[in-house]
Amino acid sequence: MRKIFLHFAVTADGMVSNVEQWVSITDEAMKDGSVFHDTVDAIIFGKNNYAPLAEYWQNAETAADSAEERAFARKINEMHKLVLSHDEVELVWKNSELLRAKDSASFKQAIARLKDMPGKNIIVDSGEGTWRSFLENDLWDGIDMLVHPLVIGSGKPLLASMPIKVPLRLVESKAYDNGVVNLRYERI
């Protein structure tokens, strides 16, 4: 059975909102992210972040200053992408499909079908509402987070309202020169 990993950047005080104002990814972290993406064959995006990320990564494939970022963009642009939404969404990114869920029951059924399909693992890449849906419906197997050395004091905390206590096992950690720490956990 495939596993689902929630993948996000977070501040030291647990905030996941307004990442464009504080996220900092080095080439080394980009390269490690590319290796992690080799273990997955599908990425789930929420409808609100899908179009901006599609635009960013499609442009980054040729316009990014970093060779690592261009390589990562090529990889992500080729991957299978699922857009989670209640409504229709214009699919503007290669290899994208709509993952329609009208309510909690249809959401759980759709994710169960995805997990039962043959293939590699799946990551949920954005955004806060989408991650929260997976957390609240207990539809996740692990967390891959890039913790940034920054306290912003306000914003949207992701894990503060967890409905249950969930023990985790650290499977990988790495600190980067800019102070960002990548932590990967799996549920016990």
Side-chain angles (χ1 to χ4, degrees):
M1 180 177 283
R2 300 160 88 183
K3 293 182 179 179
I4 293 183
F5 285 88
L6 306 180
H7 174 71
F8 54 89
V10 61
T11 60
D13 58 344
M15 304 301 166
V16 295
S17 55
N18 302 314
V19 293
E20 67 282 352
Q21 297 175 13
W22 51 262
V23 75
S24 174
I25 306 295
T26 63
D27 278 354
E28 183 182 13
M30 191 70 66
K31 186 175 182 178
D32 290 345
S34 184
V35 170
F36 177 59
H37 278 70
D38 287 338
T39 69
V40 303
D41 61 6
I43 306 172
I44 297 174
F45 296 94
K47 70 174 182 175
N48 295 332
N49 291 340
Y50 168 75
L53 286 169
E55 181 180 4
Y56 179 85
W57 287 115
Q58 290 174 99
N59 290 333
E61 190 168 337
T62 56
D65 292 334
S66 160
E68 289 297 339
E69 187 171 359
R70 289 190 305 274
F72 182 77
R74 279 190 297 278
K75 178 177 285 191
I76 200 168
N77 287 334
E78 292 300 320
M79 291 184 76
H80 183 213
K81 292 165 276 296
L82 298 149
V83 185
L84 183 61
S85 178
H86 301 288
D87 309 310
E88 286 296 321
V89 174
E90 183 181 1
L91 300 175
V92 296
W93 202 352
K94 183 178 180 181
N95 299 321
S96 293
E97 73 174 277
L98 181 62
L99 179 61
R100 194 169 219 174
K102 294 186 181 220
D103 54 31
S104 182
S106 64
F107 173 59
K108 289 177 182 179
Q109 291 169 350
I111 299 307
R113 280 192 305 273
L114 277 175
K115 287 183 75 164
D116 284 341
M117 294 173 77
K120 297 179 182 180
N121 292 329
I122 302 163
I123 61 170
V124 181
D125 196 80
S126 68
E128 184 264 335
T130 304
W131 296 314
R132 191 169 307 288
S133 294
F134 278 84
L135 290 166
E136 290 173 353
N137 286 286
D138 200 22
L139 296 172
W140 58 283
D141 302 291
I143 294 173
D144 180 62
M145 67 175 123
L146 291 162
V147 182
H148 286 66
L150 178 67
V151 173
I152 60 175
S154 64
K156 294 181 181 177
L158 180 61
L159 303 172
S161 62
M162 282 292 297
I164 56 172
K165 181 179 176 180
V166 180
L168 303 172
R169 175 177 61 90
L170 181 66
V171 293
E172 190 173 337
S173 66
K174 184 171 184 179
Y176 298 100
D177 291 340
N178 64 350
V180 172
V181 179
N182 188 188
L183 300 171
R184 189 165 302 127
Y185 294 99
E186 288 187 6
R187 294 175 76 151
I188 297 175

